[in-house]
Amino acid sequence: VEALRRALAEAGWEQGRNLTIDVGWYRGNYQIAQEIARRLLNSGAEVIVVNGTPGMDALRAAGATLPIVFVVVSNPVGAGYVSNLARPGQNITGFSTFEPEIVGKWLQILRQVQPELKHVSMLLDPKFVGFQSLWQALEDVASQFSIAATPAFASTLEEIETEIEKVAAIGNSALIVAPSPVNTVNRLRVIELTNQRRLPAIYPFRFYVRDGALVAYGFNAADQFRRAANYVDRILKGEEPGSLPIQAPSLFEMGVNLKTAKSLGIVVPQSLLISADEIVE
């Protein structure tokens, strides 16, 4: 939010002078997102910046027709938010994330930290269809290296705990933690469990490594909010959101936690350390 606020100020839109920013935190909860969506739509807002799939689903369910700029949304065409990336049409534009190609990078990193890898699972919430393309990509990529791949579907903390225990019981396994909101909200418990079970895992955001995650690779979320400010500026000046193309992530980063690696008995290759943007020791 602060990144968005600063970028808007640089474009001439300052809170309290010529702009009011109303922030609603839905905490990964779809029901809360629905309540906030209705409130914002009734508040006279001119543009809504929405973070994540649950927020987009809530706005769509509420029948929002005002301009929407989304960030941190995976596969917006597959999820049915827009029909075309180049010219999304209607009242929606934004910044997509986690295209299926990133799965190959996740698996590559896991194979470097776990050379004996024979099985990989992806922890994801089945309710968010935008992430299904990530799971399908994992099936395809893993088979190329004779690695078995299974989904670990979880929509609640209890289900997350059950699925992690299942994966940890399989020898030479690793876990990909998808960017599902339920995973992010419960990340401390996810990290705690994978580390306790000595299960190598890769996470979707760099800030996870500060909480004890072994390794993370993904886009910089704050960068998407900064870029969203440009679209908000253009919309407030009269451009139609449907004519602004959906943009992919432009800034990727990796983090490694060496303290966690040591506790898991993992020697992180020098090649990974050299390319890491953040190393926690």
Side-chain angles (χ1 to χ4, degrees):
V1 173
E2 185 57 31
L4 175 69
R5 189 174 284 129
R6 285 198 304 266
L8 284 170
E10 292 171 1
W13 300 98
E14 295 184 27
Q15 173 82 3
R17 184 175 66 85
N18 59 358
L19 185 73
T20 298
I21 301 176
D22 186 353
V23 181
W25 302 96
Y26 68 84
R27 304 186 295 281
N29 184 298
Y30 178 63
Q31 284 69 38
I32 297 175
Q34 287 181 302
E35 296 172 6
I36 293 173
R38 287 191 292 267
R39 176 176 67 79
L40 293 178
L41 291 174
N42 291 328
S43 70
E46 295 177 70
V47 183
I48 290 185
V49 176
V50 57
N51 174 41
T53 301
M56 276 299 300
D57 287 341
L59 287 172
R60 183 163 59 174
T65 57
L66 79 171
I68 295 171
V69 179
F70 65 73
V71 295
V72 195
V73 167
S74 178
N75 191 12
V77 174
Y81 302 139
V82 297
S83 59
N84 186 287
L85 295 179
R87 294 189 65 83
Q90 298 184 339
N91 62 315
I92 299 172
T93 187
F95 298 81
S96 67
T97 62
F98 297 109
E99 296 303 315
E101 291 76 16
I102 198 173
V103 172
K105 183 66 174 182
W106 285 338
L107 189 59
Q108 176 192 0
I109 293 172
L110 282 177
R111 292 176 65 227
Q112 289 181 269
V113 299
Q114 170 69 305
E116 302 301 318
L117 184 63
K118 300 297 182 184
H119 173 267
V120 62
S121 286
M122 179 177 286
L123 183 68
L124 74 166
D125 188 338
K127 295 197 302 292
F128 299 119
V129 296
F131 295 138
Q132 294 302 314
S133 61
L134 298 178
W135 159 240
Q136 293 163 2
L138 178 60
E139 276 191 303
D140 295 338
V141 176
S143 65
Q144 299 174 20
F145 299 96
S146 300
I147 295 173
T150 58
F153 291 129
S155 299
T156 66
L157 176 57
E158 183 179 10
E159 291 173 353
I160 287 173
E161 293 174 336
T162 299
E163 291 301 319
I164 289 177
E165 293 290 354
K166 289 180 183 178
V167 178
I170 303 173
N172 295 324
S173 287
L175 183 70
I176 294 174
V177 178
S180 302
V182 68
N183 292 343
T184 301
V185 171
N186 294 291
R187 65 185 180 276
L188 294 180
R189 181 57 176 154
V190 173
I191 292 168
E192 179 186 37
L193 272 178
T194 55
N195 291 348
Q196 284 178 351
R197 300 299 181 264
R198 301 176 69 83
L199 177 65
I202 188 167
Y203 299 81
F205 299 109
R206 191 180 85 179
F207 62 81
Y208 277 56
V209 300
R210 301 168 203 160
D211 293 324
L214 172 64
V215 62
Y217 180 83
F219 68 95
N220 182 299
D223 180 62
Q224 290 221 329
F225 280 86
R226 283 191 292 268
R227 295 165 68 198
N230 174 257
Y231 272 9
V232 172
D233 173 53
R234 293 168 66 176
I235 291 169
L236 289 175
K237 291 176 178 176
E239 291 193 50
E240 294 294 329
S243 66
L244 301 174
I246 307 297
Q247 296 190 39
S250 62
L251 181 61
F252 289 86
E253 52 190 14
M254 182 170 65
V256 178
N257 190 310
L258 290 180
K259 182 178 179 181
T260 298
K262 183 177 180 180
S263 70
L264 299 179
I266 291 174
V267 177
V268 180
Q270 190 66 23
S271 58
L272 275 185
L273 296 178
I274 291 174
S275 57
D277 299 277
E278 180 174 0
I279 298 175
V280 175
E281 299 185 76

